[in-house]
Each structure stands twice: as C-alpha cells, then as structure tokens.
C-alpha cells in the first residue's frame, strides 16, 4: 500500500508562496499559474531514518520524498559519478572534473530504466499517480520524458498519452511506439513542431478527455521531487567527499530546467536538516545556441525570460523555447553566482565525438554541450583551480542513434 | 514502370530442377517442397550493359537481377570491405583479412537502410511484389528480416505482417512497432518461441488471409537474388583485386543460409559469363553452438541436416533450428572444400568486445562469431598464409542494443 510521507507537509507555489494541501491534485498554482512544489517538515525528517544508503536507487532518499514507503522502484537513479579529471582542460587548469552519468548503469550503482534522467521525475510521477488513483496521464515532450512516462505507465498499469515531434530520434519513437503497439492504454501522438505544439495538442485534445497533465512543472511538484535526487546524490558521503558536501560548479543542460529547481531544493533541504552549510555551487545553465531563452534572460537581466523561437539542434532536449519554470531557473542561476552559456551545433558535435574517442563514454548531445561550455567558463573565471566541477550527462547517446553515429 | 529482366529465363527448383515460368508466383517447388531460384540466359546478358559501376547500391548489378530497370532503390548494398589485416592472427599467420560490413554506410559506398544484410533480399522482394501486384507480404523472422520488410513495405505502400519472437532486441522491435503504429497496413505479431513458431503462426493465421509468404527460400527465389549481390560485390574489380576475382575463404554467419546460396549462384553466373574461372572460395558456415544444425550435418556427413532444438544465443540471427535451404548450404560448403564451425556464447562476446576495443567497428554478434572462427580454422589448416579471407558482418550492433552494450 502506497503511503504519503508523513513529513510531507503541503504544496506551495514557487513564486507567490500560496499553500495547498498535499492531497490536492493541482497543476500550476491556481493563483498565479506558476509551478508548485512539495514542502517538508525537515525538523521532523531529521529525527527519522530518512536515508537508506544500502539501496541502489533514488529511493535511498525516500524519507525526503513525497512517498516514504510502499512505492514501486524500477531501479532508477543512484547513477555513477565518473572521474574525468584526465580531461585536457582539467589538467591544464588544475580542477577536478566529474560527469554525473544519467545514461548508463554500473554494477555498483543503479540504472535509469529508459537510460535518461527523465526516469527520476517519472518514477515519482507514476507512484504518486498510482497513490491518488489517477487513471490517465498526458505529457508533451521532446522525447526522453515521453519514453520514460510510457515505460512507467506500461509497467504500473496506468494509461498515458505521449505527444512528441515527429523528428524525435528513432530509438525514442520506437520505444514508445512499441509500448503503444502492445498496450492499448498507451497512446502516441506524433506532431509537426516542437514541445510547444505538443503542449497545445495535449490541452485541446487530451485534457478534456480526463488525462492528467504531467508536463514539466505542470504536475504537483512530482517531477521536481524526482530530479531533486540528482542533487542529493552529488551531496551524499563518498561521492565528492567522505562527508555530505557540494561541488563548486555544476554544469546542467537546461531545457525546461526541472533539475536545477530540484537540485537547488535538495541543497536547501539538506541545509535545513543541518547536513551542509549555506555555501552553494555555481549553477551553469547550458543551452543550445539554437534556442537560448535562459541565456538571453541572464544576459539582459530579465526576471521573466522571453520565449525564443525554437531552433534546430541535435540536442533535442534543449529545444525548449519557453518554459513555465524558466523564471525560477534564472533566479537560481543568479543566486548561485553562476551563468548561462549557449553552445553551437558544431561544438556539441565536436565534444560528443571527443569524449567518445577519449573514453568511450556514451554522452548524449546535451551532455556534450556541457563539456563544450568548460572552455568559455574557464575564460570567464567561473571555474577556478582546485574546483570540483560536475557536468551532467542527462542520457545515453544510444537514444539518439542513428543521428549521432557519424560523430563517433 | 517496373519490368522483368528480359534475360531472366525461368524459375528452377534447387534440388529436382523442375522448371516454372518466371511470372509464376510460387513458393517452394510444388513437386518436392524445395526452394526455387531464378535462372538467367547468361550468354544473352554478357552482350548487354549489365554492370553499372557508377551506381552506389546493389542495382549496379541490375542486369544480373530479375528486374533490370524500373526498380526503386533505397540505397541498399554496395557496402564497404574493411581491411582488418592488422588483426593479430592475420599478422601472425600472414593472411589478408577483410570484413564485409553490411551494418554500416560510408560516404563512398551504399548503406543498407535498416543496417543489415537483410535489406538486400527485401529490396528485391519488394520490387518484385510491386511488379506482380502482390498486396500483402508475410515474414516470420528472428528480427532483422522483419525490420527490413516493414521498412520497405512502408516505403512502397505494400501491406506486411512481421511475426517475431518477443525476445527480439529492443531496437528491432521498436522499429517495426513504430511503422506498425503509424501505418495500418503494417502488422506486428510478437510470439513466444523462435522463428519456427513464428512460421507456424504465419501459416495458420496469415496465409489464409491472402498474405504472400516471403519467408527465407519460400518466395520465388527473390531473396537469393538480393543476397547474390554480396558475392558480386566481393568479385567485382577494385575490391580484392583490380580484376574480377574471388577471395580464398569466406566466413559467413549461417542462420537460414540464403547468403551462401546467393553468393554461390553469383560465382556460377560470373563464371558462365566468363568473368572468373572455376576456382571457388572455401565457404565456412559459422553457427552458434546453441543451434548448430549445419555443423552437425557436416560432422555426420548427412545430406539432409536434422533440425536441432533452438537454443539461446546473443547471435539471434543464427538461432535457426531447421531451414528449408540447409541441405543446399551443406552441399555448397562441401563442394567448396570448406566446413562449418560452431561458436560458444563466451567466444561471441569476447570477439565482439575485442574488435570494438581495437577498431570501434559496430560488429554484430553474428559477425563476432565469424571472427571467433578464425583461430580454429587456422588450426584446421582451412586458412593458409597469403590467403585472402573475408568475414561477413551481417549487421550493425546498434540493432542489438542494449543487449551488447556491456560488451563494448
């Protein structure tokens, strides 16, 4: 029997702070149409066995998640942190470089079942949906989130519709189509356009049929909670340090930016529980030069990023023209002393190719964009000697075949 | 407008020699239930412009195919022949080693559109089906042939049902499911069991509905004609030699064995046209130790191989317990002075891993089995110093992900 975490206190809007009961199935804050997130009684949690380091999945942090017991795991999370300090720039400038590899399993770690970080959010989504008896979920997606939702929905016997652009990489299309083919409760809609057009179709066609909207930030904070575990895994002992500790710089490929909100929330909660101090890593929102709304907002010092037209990029996960959480991403980047960098297609391709030749690591185009950002960040003095720098590789390049094969 | 090759004379049974008109849409020979194949007036062809070396697909040999003009190409065939003479055994024993890579494109060559040798046969199947106005095709498959048929059927607007085991690698399932999802004329049936059970379901359920059977050897020799082009590509000038010439040894991963019949036929036709002499390569039928009916028949000196129970192997394409063309495979292997070798799962894995580490080549498990066969063949004196040895890699490992990823 699933059970909500007794220390999960309530939902609160990320902007106006309006509070809602934790069993209130809302989407955006009804007051201001901003995302909501879960709020915990961290003092209460501190006194519990909230941390389960013996588990090899993200549920090792169950006490700090909305569902502390009775959940179903598919092995998601607890991904390896690969030491890449042999990288030429790291050696030259004397910093430590790590890749948090969301695309790959390892015998001593967990494995995201659909080979991307989207599984973290969707694992929480599907357990919460099951708990609340939600029968049908809808998601507009650039690809990986749809692959993930279809997987979990199929596993857990919940209905789902995935709406994605018809230029989504073949393995992702294929995975969802295969589930849709076998399971009449899983639907796939391919559309011309980007995630924006997918979102419009969801609203016009599926929400009126009773599908519950689990687009990024449009569910009750579930996906933030899942993504939060990336921050917890960086912070926990025996990763970057023997103690609970944070790196100096985090490079995060930013489409919608849920991971940035999630990790920042993780750090705040750890601080509230006395595990870490108030020092925070610089957060670097890495974008594609094809679609850089967050970068533009940082450059122009805007509070509310302006949607840019979607471009064309191999890093499809970065092709998010306007996100309802972008205001918060920009806010966190600023608070952290970080910045946003936009990477060209040529540089994405070059770095995907280089790390492949160098290490045989299955880095996706979005992860490659982060590696490409190292040089400009050094030039801007954002990365300093002795820093611990973490680059997020959000998925396996396997999911982008055959588009990336010529780069290998 | 498609048109049959005017020098395509008739169909003949591969065993009893019974002849049938070339526009006779038959399956196995009605007389003895053996495969039929196309017979050409090679003297007539000799006088024509049958060879089109300017084309970068298998239709460069259109004059020696059942359809000499009006066909539709999707770029299949004309795959690269990779020089692998740096292989430790080749260096030690002084032979030349090549890999005929059916899984990979190259800018100077063609590319099988679904990344496997099955596209050669299916390209002919689909053009012939179109010519004869066949509306619906059925294939039982271990995977790649179904992927290929679904691709071509979708492209050419012909109906198809693909029946395959439910343990087929995910990318193959996904590809077919994606086409089936979008195109109501493409059907996918997943079954428990192997290609044998798939064949039974096809006969019980689909042939009575008017589907035309294009299982290996059960169509009117179309797939042999397509596979024949592998032999023509080895023989043509500027591959192994500046002249038309054959290698000394061919290692071919043998499931059903269509490629062996096809290549042998190619060599006979080239000889009849005076392009090569009567010397033939040793043909080595490489099998999986899990399912070795051809090897058993060679060892026991049987005319008619006995079906062995299907086993479990990473090289799913080799998991063919009993093939209607196996008697002919055994016959050709014997005539050629070659043999059959069965490779263990451990050796398949080891060699897939080794060539990946060594060269970054995307060799499939079936191709890896052939590399594993080199050592025993040297020990048997089947491979001699100065020999030109060709190993067939029948597809990209990309189609076997994620099952092979841990080996890379």
């Amino acid at each position: 029997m699933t059970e909500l975490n007794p220390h999960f206190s309530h939902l609160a809007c990320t902007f106006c702070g309006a509070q809602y009961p934790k069993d209130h199935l809302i989407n955006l804050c009804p007051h201001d149409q901003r995302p909501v997130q879960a709020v915990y009684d961290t003092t209460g949690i501190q006194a519990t066995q909230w941390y389960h380091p013996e588990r090899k999945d993200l549920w090792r942090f169950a006490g700090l998640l909305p569902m502390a017991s009775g959940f179903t795991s598919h092995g998601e999370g607890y991904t390896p942190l690969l030491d890449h300090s042999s990288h030429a720039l790291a050696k030259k400038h004397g910093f430590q470089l790590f890749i948090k590899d969301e695309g790959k399993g390892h015998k001593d770690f967990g494995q995201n079942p659909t080979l991307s970080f989207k599984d973290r959010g969707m694992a929480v989504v599907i357990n919460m949906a099951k708990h609340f008896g939600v029968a049908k979920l809808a998601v507009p997606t650039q690809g990986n989130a749809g692959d993930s939702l279809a997987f979990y929905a199929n596993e857990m016997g919940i209905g789902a519709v995935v709406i994605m652009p018809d230029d989504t990489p073949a393995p992702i299309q294929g995975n969802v189509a295969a589930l849709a083919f076998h399971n009449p409760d899983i639907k796939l809609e391919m559309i011309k356009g980007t995630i924006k057009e997918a979102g419009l179709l969801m609203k016009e066609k599926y929400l009126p049929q009773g599908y519950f909207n689990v687009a990024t930030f449009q569910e009750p904070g579930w996906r933030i909670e899942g993504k939060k575990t990336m921050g917890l895994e960086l912070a926990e002992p025996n990763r970057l340090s023997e103690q609970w500790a944070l790196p100096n710089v985090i490079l995060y490929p930013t489409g919608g930016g849920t991971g940035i909100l999630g990790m920042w929330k993780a750090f705040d909660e750890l601080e509230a529980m006395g595990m870490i101090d108030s020092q925070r890593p610089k957060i670097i929102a890495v974008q594609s030069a094809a679609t850089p709304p967050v970068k533009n907002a940082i450059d122009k010092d805007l509070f509310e990023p302006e949607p840019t037209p979607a471009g064309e990029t191999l890093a499809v996960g970065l092709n998010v023209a306007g996100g309802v959480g972008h205001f918060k991403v920009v806010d966190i980047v600023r608070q952290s002393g970080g910045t946003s960098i936009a990477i060209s297609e040529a540089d994405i391709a070059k770095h995907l190719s280089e790390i492949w030749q160098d290490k045989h690591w299955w880095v996706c185009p979005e992860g490659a964009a982060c590696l490409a950002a190292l040089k400009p960040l050094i030039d801007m003095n954002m990365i300093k000697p002795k820093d611990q720098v973490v680059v997020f590789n959000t998925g396996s390049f396997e999911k982008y075949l055959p588009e990336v094969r010529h780069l290998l």
Side-chain angles (χ1 to χ4, degrees), chain A:
Chain A
M1 188 54 200
T2 58
E3 212 176 306
L4 292 188
N5 187 334
H7 301 286
F8 170 17
S9 164
H10 58 275
L11 295 170
C13 176
T14 52
F15 185 58
C16 74
Q19 297 189 5
Y20 305 96
K22 64 179 172 182
D23 57 1
H24 204 138
L25 263 186
I26 57 176
N27 295 111
L28 294 171
C29 171
H31 178 63
D32 62 7
Q33 302 299 313
R34 304 279 188 181
V36 298
Q37 63 185 12
V39 178
Y40 298 88
D41 162 22
T42 45
T43 312
I45 291 174
Q46 246 179 300
T48 68
Q49 282 287 348
W50 64 273
Y51 179 47
H52 309 280
E54 73 286 359
R55 288 195 70 109
K56 294 192 176 180
D57 56 24
L58 59 79
W59 303 97
R60 59 204 277 110
F61 308 108
L64 202 50
L65 290 173
M67 186 162 290
S69 65
F71 48 79
T72 300
S73 169
H74 290 85
E76 52 277 336
Y78 197 52
T79 55
L81 187 69
L82 308 172
D83 190 339
H84 194 30
S85 296
S86 65
H87 186 284
L89 289 175
K91 285 204 287 194
K92 180 173 173 197
H93 297 276
F95 60 89
Q96 285 179 275
L97 180 61
F98 300 93
I99 298 187
K100 180 69 170 160
D101 192 356
E102 296 288 297
K104 203 169 167 180
H106 182 283
K107 64 182 170 48
D108 300 328
F109 292 90
Q111 173 156 10
N112 288 317
T114 77
L115 307 180
S116 96
F117 71 145
K118 296 290 182 182
D119 291 334
R120 295 180 185 263
M122 290 303 176
V124 174
V125 163
I126 209 77
N127 276 289
M128 294 297 275
K130 194 88 181 172
H131 174 80
F132 286 113
V134 180
K136 297 190 292 188
L137 304 170
V139 76
T141 173
Q142 286 297 123
N144 276 327
D147 195 359
S148 182
L149 178 64
F151 168 82
Y152 283 110
N154 182 61
E155 290 286 318
M156 300 281 276
I158 290 179
V161 62
V162 170
I163 309 160
M164 65 187 176
D166 60 7
D167 60 352
T168 302
I172 298 177
Q173 280 195 36
N175 289 346
V176 180
L179 293 173
F181 180 80
H182 291 296
N183 181 345
D185 295 331
I186 308 283
K187 295 189 193 308
L188 169 60
E189 282 265 11
M190 306 294 285
I191 52 118
K192 301 264 175 225
T194 67
I195 193 169
K196 187 181 161 200
E197 287 70 31
L200 289 175
L201 182 70
M202 175 185 72
K203 281 174 190 161
E204 282 167 17
K205 180 168 171 190
Y206 288 96
L207 300 190
Q209 293 179 42
Y211 280 84
F212 186 68
N213 180 355
V214 293
T216 309
F217 296 123
Q218 303 194 18
E219 23 66 51
W222 299 339
R223 292 173 68 175
I224 298 180
E225 292 306 298
K227 291 281 183 73
K228 186 172 87 175
T229 59
M230 295 189 295
L232 297 171
E233 286 177 26
L234 288 184
E236 67 180 324
N238 304 315
R239 288 292 188 112
L240 291 164
S241 157
E242 287 176 24
Q243 319 300 321
W244 289 86
L246 300 184
N248 303 97
V249 185
I250 294 176
L251 283 74
Y252 189 82
T254 306
T258 326
I260 290 180
L261 273 73
M263 289 194 283
W264 203 251
K265 186 168 188 286
F267 303 153
D268 286 346
E269 288 167 359
L270 288 175
E271 186 184 354
M273 295 197 299
M275 318 299 294
I276 59 169
D277 63 20
S278 63
Q279 282 280 98
R280 292 287 182 275
K282 293 192 188 82
I283 303 290
I284 313 297
V286 178
Q287 299 220 287
S288 159
T291 312
V294 170
K295 162 149 173 56
N296 289 348
I298 296 280
D299 287 355
K300 296 185 194 169
D301 201 31
L302 303 178
F303 165 75
E304 187 84 72
E306 300 161 330
T308 51
E312 281 198 23
T313 172
L314 189 60
V316 290
L318 302 184
N319 204 10
V320 179
V324 70
H326 278 170
F327 82 99
K328 194 74 186 170
V329 170
V330 169
D331 179 45
I332 290 169
V333 167
R334 275 195 197 112
Q335 279 185 56
S336 79
T339 189
S340 180
I341 305 250
I343 307 296
S344 71
E345 288 305 290
D347 273 354
I348 290 173
K350 175 166 172 274
H351 285 83
L352 193 152
S353 184
E354 270 182 14
I355 193 167
W356 173 250
Q357 298 298 335
D358 186 22
K359 293 276 194 178
H360 293 192
W361 285 344
W362 298 58
V363 169
C364 63
E366 294 82 355
C370 290
L371 290 167
L374 290 171
K375 181 75 174 62
L377 289 168
I378 293 165
D379 294 344
M380 294 161 76
N381 212 24
M382 280 275 168
I383 294 176
K384 300 196 176 73
K386 299 207 166 58
D387 274 354
Q388 286 187 318
V389 178
V390 173
V391 155
F392 269 84
N393 176 46
T394 46
S396 171
F397 76 46
E398 191 172 325
K399 304 191 70 175
Y400 296 76
L401 289 168
E403 282 84 347
V404 301
R405 196 152 44 106
H406 69 286
L407 300 174
L408 302 179

